[in-house]
């Protein structure tokens, strides 16, 4: 039986949120205990909360929105690349041979951050540098992901990493929980919400890796 790994960070009011983004609020809109006939929960949050995808319109105004993403990019073979804890900036030499790789996730020192959510949002996370983003964009990958809330160095002027990927309509997956994942090849199943309105710039995504 092929094992399925849930690499989604659970949404909660105490989870780390990217600095400046809306906080998460989860409340009971109706409850049986208070006399309603059913329990109904209400969630309010920014679409870049927890494990989520970025759509091109996140940084390229007028570009493709999350409900327009090609589903074929969200499901299929995926390479998980493991990096040592001394890597802060993911450079081209860290990527390895990705001939034929369509989807790639980077497992870094960031994964350990999920063990300490009480520390809040961490700005000292490992990230891709623009040269690496351009290498990936030119290699034919359709999805690039990382194990923290941004793929790009905190506070990067002009967001060149995001732009290099999103202008090629490469899906960016951020906030993956790779703590239990060994580097290697898997099948990725990434399921963002389908909604219309707002900026359509991203969505939380229930995300799995399946052994192949």
């Amino acid at each position: 039986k092929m094992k399925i790994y849930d690499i989604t960070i659970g949404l909660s009011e105490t989870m780390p949120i990217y600095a400046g983004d809306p906080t998460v609020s989860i409340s009971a809109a109706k409850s049986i205990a208070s006399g309603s006939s059913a329990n109904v929960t209400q969630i309010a949050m920014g679409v870049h909360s927890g494990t989520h995808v970025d759509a091109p319109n996140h940084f390229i105004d007028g570009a493709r929105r999350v409900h327009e993403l090609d589903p074929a990019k969200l499901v299929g073979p995926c390479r998980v690349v493991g990096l040592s804890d001394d890597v802060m900036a993911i450079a081209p030499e860290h990527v390895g041979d990705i001939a034929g790789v369509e989807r790639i996730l980077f497992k870094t020192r960031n994964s350990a951050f999920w063990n300490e959510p009480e520390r809040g949002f961490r700005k000292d996370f490992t990230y891709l540098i623009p040269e690496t983003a351009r290498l990936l964009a030119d290699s034919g990958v359709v999805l690039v992901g990382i194990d923290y809330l941004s793929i790009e160095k905190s506070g990067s002027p002009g967001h060149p990493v995001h732009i290099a990927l999103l202008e090629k309509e490469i899906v960016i997956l951020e906030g993956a929980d790779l703590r239990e994942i060994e580097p290697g090849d898997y099948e990725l199943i990434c399921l963002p919400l389908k909604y219309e309105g707002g900026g359509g710039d991203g969505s939380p995504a229930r995300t799995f890796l399946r052994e192949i």
Side-chain angles (χ1 to χ4, degrees), residues 172-184:
I172 297 174
L173 173 62
E174 295 171 328
D177 181 1
L178 302 179
R179 283 176 290 183
E180 304 298 316
I181 304 301
E182 292 296 325

Side-chain angles (χ1 to χ4, degrees), residues 78-82 181-186:
C78 180
R79 168 83 44 89
V80 177
V81 174
I181 304 301
E182 292 296 325
D185 290 313
Y186 298 85

Side-chain angles (χ1 to χ4, degrees), residues 88-107:
M88 276 293 292
I90 303 173
E93 61 263 27
H94 296 125
V95 174
D97 179 7
I98 54 167
V101 172
E102 293 185 332
R103 297 163 198 83
I104 187 167
L105 302 181
F106 292 99
K107 180 180 182 177

Side-chain angles (χ1 to χ4, degrees), residues 127-196:
Y127 53 86
L128 267 66
I129 63 172
E131 292 82 354
T132 309
R134 288 192 291 269
L135 168 75
L136 294 168
D138 292 339
S139 75
V141 299
V142 299
L143 181 145
V144 178
I146 201 165
D147 51 355
Y148 204 55
L149 295 170
S150 179
I151 205 161
E152 183 153 21
K153 186 177 182 179
S154 182
S156 291
H159 309 286
V161 169
H162 280 85
I163 298 289
L165 298 171
L166 295 177
E167 67 184 4
K168 292 278 189 80
E169 296 195 349
I170 294 165
V171 177
I172 297 174
L173 173 62
E174 295 171 328
D177 181 1
L178 302 179
R179 283 176 290 183
E180 304 298 316
I181 304 301
E182 292 296 325
D185 290 313
Y186 298 85
E187 179 188 19
L188 175 74
I189 303 157
C190 177
L191 305 172
L193 297 173
K194 185 175 184 177
Y195 69 93
E196 297 188 32

Side-chain angles (χ1 to χ4, degrees), residues 7-209:
I7 61 166
T8 319
I9 293 293
L11 295 167
S12 74
E13 295 185 343
T14 57
M15 70 192 305
I17 299 291
Y18 194 87
D21 273 16
T23 55
V24 175
S25 170
I26 303 175
S27 58
K30 296 180 181 180
S31 70
I32 294 170
S34 63
S36 294
S37 62
N39 294 316
V40 178
T41 300
Q42 175 171 300
I43 301 178
M45 61 183 172
V47 295
H48 302 272
S49 302
T51 309
H52 67 276
V53 299
D54 290 352
N57 202 53
H58 188 28
F59 284 109
I60 306 169
D61 218 15
R64 193 180 291 261
R65 295 173 181 238
V66 70
H67 73 279
E68 299 169 321
L69 293 176
D70 180 356
K73 296 182 178 182
L74 301 169
V75 178
C78 180
R79 168 83 44 89
V80 177
V81 174
L83 301 177
S84 60
D85 286 353
D86 60 352
V87 176
M88 276 293 292
I90 303 173
E93 61 263 27
H94 296 125
V95 174
D97 179 7
I98 54 167
V101 172
E102 293 185 332
R103 297 163 198 83
I104 187 167
L105 302 181
F106 292 99
K107 180 180 182 177
T108 75
R109 50 185 277 284
N110 300 339
S111 281
F113 294 180
W114 299 122
N115 295 325
E116 301 178 295
E118 66 278 2
R119 292 184 61 175
F121 176 63
R122 301 267 302 261
K123 290 187 175 179
D124 62 332
F125 56 85
T126 291
Y127 53 86
L128 267 66
I129 63 172
E131 292 82 354
T132 309
R134 288 192 291 269
L135 168 75
L136 294 168
D138 292 339
S139 75
V141 299
V142 299
L143 181 145
V144 178
I146 201 165
D147 51 355
Y148 204 55
L149 295 170
S150 179
I151 205 161
E152 183 153 21
K153 186 177 182 179
S154 182
S156 291
H159 309 286
V161 169
H162 280 85
I163 298 289
L165 298 171
L166 295 177
E167 67 184 4
K168 292 278 189 80
E169 296 195 349
I170 294 165
V171 177
I172 297 174
L173 173 62
E174 295 171 328
D177 181 1
L178 302 179
R179 283 176 290 183
E180 304 298 316
I181 304 301
E182 292 296 325
D185 290 313
Y186 298 85
E187 179 188 19
L188 175 74
I189 303 157
C190 177
L191 305 172
L193 297 173
K194 185 175 184 177
Y195 69 93
E196 297 188 32
D201 42 281
S203 171
R206 191 68 186 266
T207 307
F208 303 95
L209 287 174

